Amino acid sequence: MAISFCKKNENYTEKIIRQKQIREIKKEIFRKTIHLCTAFVPFFLERFYWPVIVLLALVLIGYVICEFLRIKGISVPLISKITDIASRKRDENHFVLGPVTLALGVLITALIFPPLPAKIGIFALALGDGLASLFGKLFGHVIIPFTSGKTVAGSLTCFIAIFLSTYCCSRNLVCALWVAVAGMIIEIFPIKNFDNLTIPILVATISCFFVL
C-alpha cells in the first residue's frame, strides 16, 4: 500500500513538472515569435524608412503607457493579455522590460548606423538572439558556467544564425565570421533584457569595419 502510494505521488510530481516545462516552452515560443518578427523590420526600413521609425516609436510609447496602466491594475485589451502570456517568472508583478529594450535596440540601430550595418545588427538581434533562446530552451542540456543558464546549444544556434544572416547581407565571409563570433559572445553574457540593446548595436558597429 505504502509503495503504491509513493509511486502515485512520484507520478503526480513528474506530471506537474512536465506540465510546468510545457508551459514554459509555450511561453518561450510565443515570446520568441514576437522577437523573430523584428527580422521583417529591415525590409520595411528599405522602403518606408521614416514611417517605420515613427511607427516603432509610437508602438514603444504605447506599450510603456499600457504597462504602467497594467501595473496599476488597469487592463488594456489585447496588449495586457499578450504581456501576461509572454512575461517570464521574474517579470511577475513588475514592468515587463523586454519589449522596450527590443524596440529601442531596433530603433537606435536603425537611426545611428548606415543601412547595411543596421540590417546586420537587427538580423543578429532577431535571428541570433531569438533562435538562441528558443533552441537553448528546447534542446539545451549542457549549461555554460557563470552565464545564468545559457546553453551550448543556444550559443551555437546564435553563431549559425548570425553567420548566415550576415553573409546573406554582406556576401563577406570574413565579416560574417567575426560578426557571428562577436554576437555569440555578447549573447552569452547574462544581462537579461539588455542584450536586446547590446547585440544589435555592437554587432552593427563591428560590421562597419568590413562593409563600409
Side-chain angles (χ1 to χ4, degrees):
M1 179 74 73
I3 294 174
S4 176
F5 176 78
C6 288
K7 285 184 177 180
K8 286 181 179 179
N9 192 43
E10 286 176 4
N11 290 336
Y12 179 76
T13 302
E14 289 175 0
K15 184 178 179 181
I16 294 297
I17 293 171
R18 281 197 301 270
Q19 288 175 343
K20 183 180 179 182
Q21 290 173 338
I22 290 170
R23 284 196 301 269
E24 288 178 354
I25 289 171
K26 285 181 177 179
K27 272 181 173 284
E28 193 67 22
I29 291 172
F30 182 80
R31 185 163 47 245
K32 291 309 172 182
T33 298
I34 298 172
H35 204 100
L36 290 166
C37 284
T38 57
F40 293 105
V41 173
F43 298 109
F44 292 113
L45 285 170
E46 287 178 353
R47 293 160 179 80
F48 316 102
Y49 181 82
W50 283 113
V52 172
I53 293 295
V54 171
L55 181 60
L56 284 172
L58 290 174
V59 169
L60 174 59
I61 293 168
Y63 172 79
V64 170
I65 293 170
C66 290
E67 265 301 272
F68 278 120
L69 291 174
R70 185 182 68 85
I71 291 172
K72 291 181 178 295
I74 303 171
S75 180
V76 179
L78 186 61
I79 303 298
S80 296
K81 183 65 176 177
I82 290 173
T83 303
D84 286 335
I85 294 172
S87 61
R88 291 184 171 96
K89 183 72 175 176
R90 67 173 186 244
D91 295 322
E92 288 183 2
N93 302 317
H94 294 88
F95 188 100
V96 181
L97 192 60
V100 174
T101 56
L102 181 66
L104 277 176
V106 173
L107 268 172
I108 294 170
T109 306
L111 285 169
I112 68 175
F113 291 100
L116 183 52
K119 181 188 291 188
I120 290 171
I122 294 170
F123 279 151
L125 172 62
L127 303 176
D129 185 44
L131 292 174
S133 180
L134 186 58
F135 274 71
K137 181 73 72 174
L138 292 172
F139 307 110
H141 301 294
V142 181
I143 305 296
I144 301 172
F146 312 111
T147 61
S148 297
K150 299 294 180 73
T151 65
V152 172
S155 293
L156 288 176
T157 301
C158 180
F159 174 85
I160 293 169
I162 295 177
F163 178 83
L164 292 176
S165 63
T166 301
Y167 182 74
C168 288
C169 291
S170 66
R171 299 297 176 182
N172 185 321
L173 194 61
V174 176
C175 174
L177 181 61
W178 278 104
V179 165
V181 170
M184 180 183 67
I185 293 172
I186 296 165
E187 194 275 335
I188 286 173
F189 282 96
I191 54 176
K192 299 180 180 178
N193 294 312
F194 292 99
D195 60 358
N196 291 335
L197 292 170
T198 57
I199 288 174
I201 293 172
L202 294 179
V203 163
T205 301
I206 293 167
S207 69
C208 286
F209 291 100
F210 298 95
V211 299
L212 294 182

